Amino acid sequence: MLTVTNKINGMDANTAVDQVAVEGGVENTDDVVDNATPSNEQNTAPVVKIAAVKSGRKKTPALSASPNKPLRPSSDSRIAAQPGFVLHSYPHRETSLILDVFTRDYGRIALVAKGAKRPTSKLRGVLQTFQPLSLSWSGKSELRTLTVAEWVGGMLPLEKSALLCGFYLNELLVKLLARDDPHATLFDHYVATLNQLAHQEPAPIVLRQFERALLKETGVAGNFILCTDTRQTVLAESMYVVDPERGPRIARIADSWPAVSGKTLLDMEREDYSDVVTQAQSKVLMRFLLAYHLGGARLNTRQILIDLMQL
């Protein structure tokens, strides 16, 4: 039987999201999101391996933690066996693809996959979203050349509503991560989040945890439990607003920003979303902070689902 991702292949964005949402039994689409342009991507590719570059360098284990962040001099021209994921791809000339990839030690980078669109190219079955890859490339410019891509495996595919959430994560990374800015901890959090979604853990909680980690690791959102007014830890029974530039402060009557309880901020800092009030307030808070740091740019995946809810 065809999987959901087989079915969305070839559809336009709205049709694809509608089909997945219906078949996945999505009730609250506000917490589940889809890629604005998923038609070029499949999540159930056959297991294909491309021979790794013959090199004297030892391969890095695909999903093992990096004990130290490697130094990355500007003269680097050849990188071998780097763990990574395809975030997005689009056509380049007649037979090639431009890939936006997220790697553990080199951050978000752009690669050109020459000949990847040819029917006989083995890359066609490898360069899929949400699949762990071992990537090698060469070049010093902003657009490097992909030389090797190897499917690593070891992760369940995303299906139905989890697939929609995965595309949301990818859009956040594309829009909020600067190029060539390593974030090894965030990379590991991304891997963990995909695994949680694949194992059908509650999407609202999983998404809030990733959103918080993204803002924290990129340095745009700091400590949620230190009140900037009092310089003391926030009080669970008090109400606060979170200044996107400075952090939490005591809420005022004239505030237009969303007010949340000190308990919600304390819960978010320790990643405890068991309280339904914490779930509701954290959702509103993260939406506000993401909108601010996106500088008004609209998230296509979220807007598609808002449009679907109005049908």
Side-chain angles (χ1 to χ4, degrees), residues 48-60:
V48 179
K49 287 193 175 182
I50 300 175
V53 166
K54 293 182 179 180
S55 170
R57 301 182 183 181
K58 184 178 180 180
K59 290 179 65 177
T60 304

Side-chain angles (χ1 to χ4, degrees), residues 68-237:
N68 297 296
K69 184 180 293 184
L71 295 176
R72 186 169 47 85
S74 59
S75 59
D76 280 358
S77 59
R78 292 185 181 274
I79 302 300
Q82 175 67 202
F85 288 83
V86 174
L87 298 177
H88 181 64
S89 65
Y90 52 94
H92 176 63
R93 298 180 178 173
E94 294 184 359
T95 62
S96 301
L97 291 173
I98 300 293
L99 308 174
D100 206 331
V101 302
F102 184 31
T103 67
R104 169 178 284 124
D105 298 323
Y106 293 83
R108 176 175 156 255
I109 63 173
L111 300 175
V112 56
K114 296 181 179 179
K117 291 172 58 182
R118 292 194 181 103
T120 57
S121 174
K122 293 180 180 180
L123 288 171
R124 288 171 63 91
V126 177
L127 301 176
Q128 306 298 325
T129 52
F130 316 123
Q131 293 299 314
L133 304 174
S134 177
L135 302 170
S136 301
W137 64 84
S138 63
K140 298 180 182 180
S141 64
E142 184 176 356
L143 181 61
R144 287 87 157 181
T145 300
L146 178 69
T147 56
V148 177
E150 183 179 11
W151 186 84
V152 176
M155 293 180 63
L156 292 175
L158 299 185
E159 297 180 344
K160 301 181 180 179
S161 60
L163 182 61
L164 306 181
C165 293
F167 284 123
Y168 172 65
L169 301 181
N170 284 6
E171 186 177 9
L172 284 179
L173 290 173
V174 168
K175 290 189 174 180
L176 286 173
L177 284 187
R179 287 269 175 84
D180 299 303
D181 188 12
H183 291 284
T185 301
L186 182 61
F187 180 93
D188 292 338
H189 201 117
Y190 176 75
V191 174
T193 301
L194 294 183
N195 274 315
Q196 289 173 317
L197 293 172
H199 285 86
Q200 301 181 351
E201 295 190 24
I205 295 176
V206 173
L207 294 180
R208 295 299 87 76
Q209 290 174 334
F210 182 81
E211 291 165 349
R212 174 75 180 113
L214 175 59
L215 295 184
K216 190 173 182 179
E217 292 300 325
T218 52
V220 297
N223 194 329
F224 268 13
I225 63 173
L226 181 64
C227 177
T228 57
D229 287 337
T230 65
R231 307 306 300 174
Q232 302 293 325
T233 301
V234 297
L235 301 176
E237 64 275 11

Side-chain angles (χ1 to χ4, degrees), residues 234-238 261-268 270 275 278:
V234 297
L235 301 176
E237 64 275 11
S238 299
S261 70
K263 181 182 182 303
T264 290
L265 296 175
L266 292 167
D267 285 347
M268 292 179 70
R270 56 177 173 254
D275 190 327
T278 296

